[in-house]
Amino acid sequence: MSKAVGDLGLVGLAVMGQNLILNAADHGFTVVAYNRTQSKVDRFLANEAKGKSIIGATSIEDLVAKLKKPRKIMLLIKAGAPVDTLIKELVPHLDKGDIIIDGGNSHFPDTNRRYEELTKQGILFVGSGVSGGEDGARFGPSLMPGGSAEAWPHIKNIFQSIAAKSNGEPCCEWVGPAGSGHYVKMVHNGIEYGDMQLICEAYDIMKRIGRFTDKEISEVFDKWNTGVLDSFLIEITRDILKFDDVDGKPLVEKIMDTAGQKGTGKWTAINALDLGMPVTLIGEAVFARCLSAIKDERKRASKLLAGPTVPKDAIHDREQFVYDLEQALYASKIISYAQGFMLIREAARSYGWKLNNPAIALMWRGGCIIRSVFLAEITKAYRDDPDLENLLFNEFFASAVTKAQSGWRRTIALAATYGIPTPAFSTALAFYDGYRSERLPANLLQAQRDYFGAHTFRILPECASAHLPVDKDIHINWTGHGGNISSSTYQA
Amino acid sequence: MSADFGLIGLAVMGQNLILNAADHGFTVCAYNRTQSKVDHFLANEAKGKSIIGATSIEDFISKLKRPRKVMLLVKAGAPVDALINQIVPLLEKGDIIIDGGNSHFPDSNRRYEELKKKGILFVGSGVSGGEEGARYGPSLMPGGSEEAWPHIKNIFQSISAKSDGEPCCEWVGPAGAGHYVKMVHNGIEYGDMQLICEAYDIMKRLGGFTDKEISDVFAKWNNGVLDSFLVEITRDILKFDDVDGKPLVEKIMDTAGQKGTGKWTAINALDLGMPVTLIGEAVFARCLSALKNERIRASKVLPGPEVPKDAVKDREQFVDDLEQALYASKIISYAQGFMLIREAAATYGWKLNNPAIALMWRGGCIIRSVFLGQITKAYREEPDLENLLFNKFFADAVTKAQSGWRKSIALATTYGIPTPAFSTALSFYDGYRSERLPANLLQAQRDYFGAHTFRVLPECASDNLPVDKDIHINWTGHGGNVSSSTYQA
C-alpha cells in the first residue's frame, strides 16, 4: 500500500483542529493528523479518532510523505510567530504547487506577507477564516478561503463538503486574493463582538431596569428567536440563561464579568481607524470588553461615583418595554452589519481586492457564530445589487430601521435616564442619526482647526463666491492679527 | 555670528517659533530646503530680528554654538528620517536634535535608540498652540535623551506659555514619551472639539438657536467651569460674518479633516486595552463627516423624527443642562486620556510626571483651560491618583452635572440629533461605576461556542467552580472536553 494516502494534513490538535479532522473524516476524506506534542496525536488516535479514516504522523517529514499530491496542509495553531515557524519547517519538504492553508485567526497583514513570500517559492498559500467554534468545526463550519486562487480547485471539494450548508448552499466560497479571507474573518469576528455586546446590553437593561430574573430573560430571548432576531447567538443566550449550576442557581450569575479577547475585534477597530471608516459599534464593543477587564478599579469606582436610582415603577408596560428593546436590538444589529460591510467595501477599494459580497453574507449564514436568518436578507440585498453602496440604502433595511427607531430611541433614553451603560446601542443610533444628516456640525470643527492651526477648510458648493471659491483650500484670518502662512492640507 | 539654536522648516509653526525665540533674546538660524522661503522670511517677518539664514545644511550646522541644538519642524514621517540622515554626519557627539513635529511616538522611540548609539542626543517634543501659540507661547512637551534637557531647558521654558507664572514646559520622560503625551493631547483636543460641535448641533437643530445666540451661550459658558481656549474661539467663530453679513461658519463644508494624531491615540488605546471611548468616537465622527456625498444620498432615503417647535420648553434650563452635559463629558474625556497615559507608563516602562503634564496643557495648548488647573491640583495632591474620577473635585462635579447630562442625551436621542461623544462619555461613566457589568454573559457565550473558558466570582466559588481557575462548561451536553488555551492577544 502506498504511503501517500492522505487527502488533507492538519497540524494542531486543539479544539478546532480535532473537530475539523473528525468532520473531514465523516465526509469520507482521509486526514493525516500531526501535533508538535506527539502524545496528543497518540491520544487523539486512541480516543476521538478511533475507527475513522484518520492517520497520525510522527514528524513533519512523515506528515508530508503521507499526503497525496498536490499536498494540502492545513495549520490550526495559535496566530502569530508560531505560524511563520511552522511554515519555515514545512517549505523545504514541499514541491512547487503544494498548498499550505492557514486556518487560524491570523492577522490579515501577516497573511498578505505569507502569500507574497510563498508565491515566490511556488507554494500556493491559502489564508482561510474558520468560524463556528467547536460545534461548527465538528459538524459544519463557515470557511472563508482567500490567497492563491490556483489552490481553490484543489481544495474546493473538501472545503465545501465539510462546510455548513444554508438552504442547500455550502457556506464556503472563494473570497479573494492575498489576505482577504482572513480579512473577512476578522470583520466577521468584529461583528460577532458587536452582536454579543448588543445582547449583553439588552440583558443588562432587562435585569437592572426591568428587574427580570434570568429565567424571564431567557423566555424573552426564546420569543425573540422566533422573530426577526432568529440567530445562533440569541439561541445560545436563551440556553445560557436557563443553565443552572448544581445548587439550582443560574451559573451565569457566578461568572466573573471580565471579558477576554483574542485580538480579532481589536484588529477590526484598528483597521477601521486606518481606513477612516466609522465602524463605531465594533469599536465600542472592543472598548466595552476593555472596561469590563478593569474589574478591581470598577469595584472601587462603584463606591465613589453616584448614579440615579432605578425606581420600582420604572417600567409601566412590561410588554411594551420588551418590544422596544427588541426593536433597539434589531435596529442596532442592522447598523453593525451596515458598518461591517462599509469596512469590507473600503478595504476592497484600498487593497485592490475584488470581493464577492453576496458570497460573504452567504458564508456567514451557516456554521458561523453570527449565523442568522437576517443574513439571508443581506445575501438577497447584495444579490439584487452586487455594488450596493450601503446596506441602509436597501429597501428592506431602510424600512426595518424606520419602523424600529421609535422603540430604539425610547430604549436608549430610558437607559440614559436610569444609568444603564449602552455603549453599543447608543453609538449605533448616533451613527444612524449622523449618517442620515446632510449637514453635520463638522463645519464648526473645520472652522476651529483653521482658527488655531491654519489647517484650511472648503466651502459648500451652494455657498461659493468669488472670495470663497469652491474646491479650494481656504484660510481665514479669524483673529485679525495672525500671519498669512497656512499649514499644508493633507490627511494622515 | 553663532546661533543659540537652529530651526529647519519654515511653515506656519516654524516661522512663528523662530520669531518667538528671537523675541526672547535668542539668536536663531533658519533653514528650509527651499531657499526662497528663507530669503522671503528674512526679508519680511524676520527683518530686524536676531535671526540669521543658512544656504545649506552644512552652512546651517556651521552657524550653531556647541553643543549644537537643531530643531526640526517638518512633516512627520519619512521626511524627518531623511533630514536626520542628512544632518547626523555633520554633527559631533553630544549635539542635540529636537523633532518638534507631530511624529508618531514609535518613530520617536526608534530615533531615540538609533541616535543614542551614535552619541547624538535626541529629543522628541510635542508643540501645541497652533500659530498664535508658536508665536507668543506654545506648550512644549519634550522627551527623549534626558542629558539634553539642561542644554535646552532655558530656551524651551523662556519661549513657552506661562500659567500662573509657571512655564508650560517640563521634561516629560524618556524615548518617545514627549510625542506620546502630545498625541494624547491631540486626542483629547479631538474630543473637546467634537463635544463642542455636539452642543452646537443640539442648540441649532433642537433648540432652533441662531449662530449669534449660540455665540452668546458660549460667551456665558466661557465665564464658568468651561472657561477654555476652544470655547472662547467657538464664541468668536460663531460671531464672525462673511462679507455678505451672514455667518461664515454656515458656508463651510461639513467634512472634517484629520492629520493622524487622533487616530493614533485611538489605535494606541485599542493596543493597550484602555477604554478611551470618547476619542475613538471623535475620530470616527470625523470619518463619518467625510462621507459627505454618501450622507447627502442617505438623507433622502433614511428618515428620522420631526423636531417639534416646542421641543425645548424652558430655554434657560435647556442651555444649563447642555452646559452640564458638556462639562461632565469633558471630565470623562480627560479621565480617559490620563488612564491611557498611566497605562502607557506602565507598559512602556516610562516614569512620567502627571502634574507636569496637566500643567503643560494649561497654557499655550489648544486644550488650555481653567479646568486643567484643577487636574494639576489633583495630581499634585496625589501623584499616583488612579483615576481622575477618584478625585473629590471631579467626582462631585460629575455627580452634580449628571442629571443635566442625562436630560440632554435623552432629548437628543428622542429627536434624532447625533451625540456620539456625549453618549459614549455617559455610557463609560455608567459602565465604570458598575461593580457588575453584563460581561459575565459575554464570557458564558464565548465559552459556549468557542470553549474559551471563564473565571468565577470569588464570592460564588465552590468545589466545582474554583476561584482563579479557567473553567470550561459543557453547556450543550454534547461537546468535547478539549478547550482553547486562554490568552489575550
Side-chain angles (χ1 to χ4, degrees):
Chain A
M1 168 172 152
S2 166
K3 202 178 181 192
V5 296
D7 295 301
L8 175 78
L10 197 144
V11 182
L13 294 182
V15 56
M16 292 300 284
Q18 285 198 11
N19 284 290
L20 215 57
I21 292 171
L22 294 170
N23 182 353
D26 285 354
H27 284 86
F29 298 99
T30 300
V31 189
V32 185
Y34 176 73
N35 198 83
R36 182 179 312 282
T37 310
Q38 185 63 43
S39 60
K40 284 191 184 180
V41 180
D42 296 338
R43 192 191 159 281
F44 179 56
L45 294 178
N47 290 278
E48 292 90 346
K50 193 168 182 180
K52 294 182 184 287
S53 57
I54 299 166
I55 60 183
T58 54
S59 68
I60 291 275
E61 292 86 345
D62 189 31
L63 167 70
V64 172
K66 285 173 166 162
L67 295 171
K68 293 176 192 170
K69 288 172 176 167
R71 302 180 183 97
K72 309 163 198 71
I73 302 169
M74 189 162 192
L75 318 181
L76 273 173
I77 62 178
K78 191 172 164 184
V83 173
D84 288 314
T85 300
L86 188 46
I87 288 173
K88 212 163 287 179
E89 283 178 42
L90 277 169
V91 167
H93 302 287
L94 300 179
D95 294 335
K96 278 182 167 27
D98 281 347
I99 300 162
I100 293 178
I101 304 156
D102 173 15
N105 273 337
S106 290
H107 200 186
F108 79 95
D110 289 340
T111 303
N112 284 342
R113 170 175 54 76
R114 289 166 186 146
Y115 165 80
E116 295 297 335
E117 284 170 2
L118 291 171
T119 297
K120 285 174 196 158
Q121 299 175 64
I123 305 295
L124 307 181
F125 182 73
V126 173
S128 182
V130 177
S131 177
E134 178 179 1
D135 251 28
R138 182 69 186 83
F139 300 108
S142 161
L143 297 167
M144 298 161 249
S148 296
E150 278 178 83
W152 181 231
H154 300 286
I155 62 173
K156 182 174 181 179
N157 183 40
I158 303 176
F159 267 40
Q160 290 192 336
S161 296
I162 66 176
K165 308 300 186 292
S166 180
N167 294 133
E169 297 184 82
C171 298
C172 173
E173 279 292 349
W174 189 253
V175 174
S180 60
H182 275 139
Y183 186 84
V184 165
K185 177 59 178 5
M186 176 187 80
V187 176
H188 160 278
N189 284 22
I191 287 174
E192 178 190 297
Y193 272 56
D195 274 349
M196 289 165 78
Q197 179 62 28
L198 288 170
I199 287 168
C200 286
E201 288 176 20
Y203 161 76
D204 204 22
I205 289 169
M206 282 189 269
K207 202 160 184 62
R208 292 210 264 169
I209 293 183
R211 300 182 202 279
F212 288 31
T213 64
D214 283 348
K215 292 296 181 293
E216 286 168 330
I217 300 173
S218 176
E219 283 161 11
V220 170
F221 279 105
D222 187 38
K223 177 169 166 283
W224 286 353
N225 204 43
T226 60
V228 290
L229 293 171
D230 180 355
S231 60
F232 173 71
L233 282 169
I234 295 282
E235 180 187 316
I236 73 169
T237 298
R238 171 199 68 196
D239 293 346
I240 285 164
L241 293 170
K242 272 195 305 188
F243 193 100
D244 288 340
D245 191 22
V246 293
D247 64 0
K249 291 173 185 167
L251 174 59
V252 68
E253 293 304 326
K254 301 182 175 194
I255 294 177
M256 176 94 73
D257 53 317
T258 54
Q261 32 193 336
K262 296 202 170 186
T264 47
K266 177 177 82 170
W267 296 342
T268 311
I270 289 177
N271 182 252
L273 288 163
D274 276 334
L275 297 182
M277 278 290 118
V279 183
T280 59
L281 202 148
I282 293 171
E284 289 287 355
V286 173
F287 279 139
R289 293 192 188 200
C290 299
L291 181 55
S292 79
I294 54 178
K295 172 72 175 181
D296 290 341
E297 197 172 326
R298 284 192 286 111
K299 265 184 184 174
R300 290 189 282 280
S302 71
K303 294 172 172 57
L304 294 172
L305 300 173
T309 301
V310 182
K312 279 185 185 151
D313 66 343
I315 303 301
H316 303 293
D317 183 336
R318 207 157 151 117
E319 203 166 298
Q320 181 70 50
F321 167 70
V322 166
Y323 175 78
D324 284 347
L325 201 45
E326 182 185 20
Q327 299 310 301
L329 184 47
Y330 185 46
S332 298
K333 183 167 170 167
I334 291 171
I335 295 298
S336 179
Y337 283 71
Q339 290 182 349
F341 277 94
M342 282 171 84
L343 186 59
I344 288 172
R345 181 184 172 90
E346 181 64 21
R349 199 189 61 75
S350 289
Y351 305 133
W353 296 334
K354 178 142 178 63
L355 302 183
N356 186 341
N357 284 330
I360 290 167
L362 168 61
M363 278 187 266
W364 292 353
R365 255 162 62 183
C368 270
I369 302 301
I370 62 173
R371 62 188 181 271
S372 63
V373 168
F374 179 81
L375 274 153
E377 289 296 340
I378 299 180
T379 309
K380 185 173 181 298
Y382 280 112
R383 280 179 172 166
D384 287 350
D385 179 3
D387 288 321
L388 181 64
E389 185 177 19
N390 194 292
L391 271 183
L392 293 172
F393 289 169
N394 169 267
E395 165 73 36
F396 176 89
F397 292 110
S399 297
V401 171
T402 299
K403 289 186 194 99
Q405 71 177 287
S406 70
W408 197 10
R409 295 180 189 282
R410 274 194 297 268
T411 298
I412 292 172
L414 194 71
T417 300
Y418 291 121
I420 307 304
T422 54
F425 278 158
S426 295
T427 200
L429 183 63
F431 172 87
Y432 176 72
D433 282 332
Y435 188 68
R436 66 178 186 82
S437 292
E438 180 172 351
R439 292 289 294 270
L440 282 174
N443 57 320
L444 175 57
L445 199 149
Q446 284 295 87
Q448 290 169 332
R449 292 178 72 240
D450 190 54
Y451 186 116
F452 66 70
H455 290 300
T456 76
F457 56 82
R458 293 243 168 151
I459 288 289
L460 290 165
E462 62 267 31
C463 299
S465 61
H467 74 293
L468 295 173
V470 74
D471 290 335
K472 282 297 194 345
D473 298 321
I474 298 164
H475 169 48
I476 288 288
N477 189 335
W478 297 89
T479 61
H481 58 84
N484 292 312
I485 307 290
S486 65
S487 304
S488 58
T489 300
Y490 67 95
Q491 309 296 329
Chain B
M1 184 176 188
S2 286
D4 297 301
F5 87 104
L7 196 145
I8 300 178
L10 294 181
V12 56
M13 293 300 283
Q15 285 199 12
N16 284 290
L17 214 57
I18 291 171
L19 294 169
N20 182 353
D23 285 355
H24 284 87
F26 299 98
T27 301
V28 189
C29 184
Y31 178 73
N32 198 83
R33 180 189 312 282
T34 310
Q35 185 63 44
S36 60
K37 285 192 183 180
V38 180
D39 297 338
H40 179 272
F41 180 57
L42 293 177
N44 290 277
E45 293 90 347
K47 193 169 181 179
K49 293 182 185 289
S50 57
I51 299 166
I52 61 181
T55 55
S56 67
I57 289 277
E58 291 83 355
D59 182 36
F60 174 79
I61 298 295
S62 72
K63 286 174 165 164
L64 301 175
K65 289 178 193 170
R66 291 183 172 82
R68 301 183 182 98
K69 308 164 197 70
V70 178
M71 188 161 192
L72 316 181
L73 274 173
V74 301
K75 191 171 161 183
V80 174
D81 288 314
L83 195 43
I84 287 174
N85 286 338
Q86 267 190 282
I87 292 168
V88 166
L90 306 175
L91 297 181
E92 291 166 1
K93 280 182 167 28
D95 282 347
I96 300 163
I97 293 179
I98 303 157
D99 173 16
N102 272 337
S103 290
H104 200 186
F105 78 95
D107 289 341
S108 296
N109 284 342
R110 171 174 54 76
R111 289 166 186 146
Y112 165 80
E113 295 296 335
E114 284 170 2
L115 290 173
K116 187 183 189 181
K117 288 172 194 160
K118 300 184 199 192
I120 304 296
L121 308 181
F122 178 77
V123 174
S125 182
V127 178
S128 178
E131 177 180 1
E132 285 277 298
R135 182 69 186 84
Y136 300 107
S139 161
L140 297 167
M141 298 161 249
S145 293
E146 192 156 7
E147 278 179 81
W149 181 230
H151 300 286
I152 62 174
K153 183 175 180 178
N154 183 38
I155 304 175
F156 266 41
Q157 290 192 336
S158 296
I159 66 176
S160 75
K162 308 301 185 290
S163 180
D164 293 322
E166 296 185 81
C168 298
C169 174
E170 279 293 348
W171 188 253
V172 174
H179 275 136
Y180 186 84
V181 165
K182 177 59 182 358
M183 176 188 80
V184 176
H185 160 278
N186 284 22
I188 287 174
E189 177 189 298
Y190 272 56
D192 275 349
M193 289 165 79
Q194 179 62 28
L195 288 170
I196 286 168
C197 286
E198 288 176 21
Y200 160 76
D201 204 22
I202 290 170
M203 282 189 268
K204 199 161 186 64
R205 291 209 265 169
L206 224 163
F209 289 34
T210 65
D211 284 348
K212 292 296 182 292
E213 286 168 332
I214 300 173
S215 177
D216 289 341
V217 170
F218 279 104
K220 176 169 168 282
W221 285 354
N222 204 44
N223 291 325
V225 291
L226 293 171
D227 181 354
S228 60
F229 173 70
L230 282 169
V231 168
E232 179 188 316
I233 73 169
T234 298
R235 171 198 69 196
D236 293 347
I237 285 165
L238 294 170
K239 273 194 305 189
F240 193 100
D241 287 339
D242 191 22
V243 293
D244 63 1
K246 292 174 185 166
L248 174 59
V249 68
E250 293 304 326
K251 302 183 174 192
I252 294 177
M253 175 93 74
D254 54 317
T255 53
Q258 32 193 337
K259 296 203 169 185
T261 48
K263 178 177 81 170
W264 295 342
T265 310
I267 289 177
N268 182 252
L270 288 163
D271 276 333
L272 297 183
M274 278 290 117
V276 183
T277 59
L278 202 148
I279 293 171
E281 288 288 355
V283 174
F284 279 139
R286 293 190 187 201
C287 298
L288 181 55
S289 78
L291 306 175
K292 175 69 175 180
N293 291 332
E294 200 171 323
R295 284 191 287 112
I296 291 174
R297 288 190 283 281
S299 71
K300 295 171 170 55
V301 167
L302 302 171
E306 293 287 335
V307 181
K309 278 182 185 153
D310 66 341
V312 174
K313 304 187 211 301
D314 182 336
R315 209 153 148 118
E316 201 167 300
Q317 182 66 53
F318 167 71
V319 166
D320 183 63
D321 285 344
L322 205 44
E323 182 184 20
Q324 299 310 304
L326 184 47
Y327 185 45
S329 298
K330 184 169 169 167
I331 291 171
I332 295 298
S333 180
Y334 283 72
Q336 290 182 349
F338 277 95
M339 281 171 86
L340 186 60
I341 288 172
R342 183 185 171 88
E343 182 65 22
T347 299
Y348 304 133
W350 296 334
K351 178 144 178 63
L352 301 182
N353 185 341
N354 284 330
I357 290 167
L359 169 60
M360 279 186 266
W361 292 352
R362 254 162 64 183
C365 270
I366 301 302
I367 63 173
R368 62 189 181 269
S369 63
V370 168
F371 180 80
L372 276 153
Q374 288 295 342
I375 299 181
T376 310
K377 186 169 180 292
Y379 280 113
R380 280 181 171 164
E381 278 166 14
E382 192 185 343
D384 287 322
L385 181 64
E386 185 176 19
N387 195 292
L388 272 183
L389 293 172
F390 288 173
N391 169 267
K392 185 171 201 318
F393 176 88
F394 293 109
D396 287 350
V398 172
T399 299
K400 288 189 193 97
Q402 70 178 288
S403 78
W405 196 11
R406 295 178 190 283
K407 275 186 284 192
S408 292
I409 289 172
L411 201 65
T413 293
T414 300
Y415 292 118
I417 310 302
T419 54
F422 278 160
S423 295
T424 200
L426 183 63
S427 283
F428 172 86
Y429 177 72
D430 283 331
Y432 187 69
R433 67 179 185 82
S434 292
E435 181 173 352
R436 292 287 295 270
L437 282 174
N440 58 320
L441 175 58
L442 200 149
Q443 284 295 88
Q445 290 168 332
R446 292 178 71 241
D447 190 53
Y448 187 115
F449 66 70
H452 291 300
T453 75
F454 57 82
R455 295 246 166 145
V456 159
L457 290 165
E459 62 267 30
C460 299
S462 60
D463 286 342
N464 66 307
L465 297 172
V467 75
D468 290 334
K469 283 294 196 342
D470 298 321
I471 299 165
H472 170 47
I473 288 288
N474 189 334
W475 297 89
T476 62
H478 60 81
N481 291 313
V482 179
S483 66
S484 305
S485 58
T486 300
Y487 67 95
Q488 309 295 329

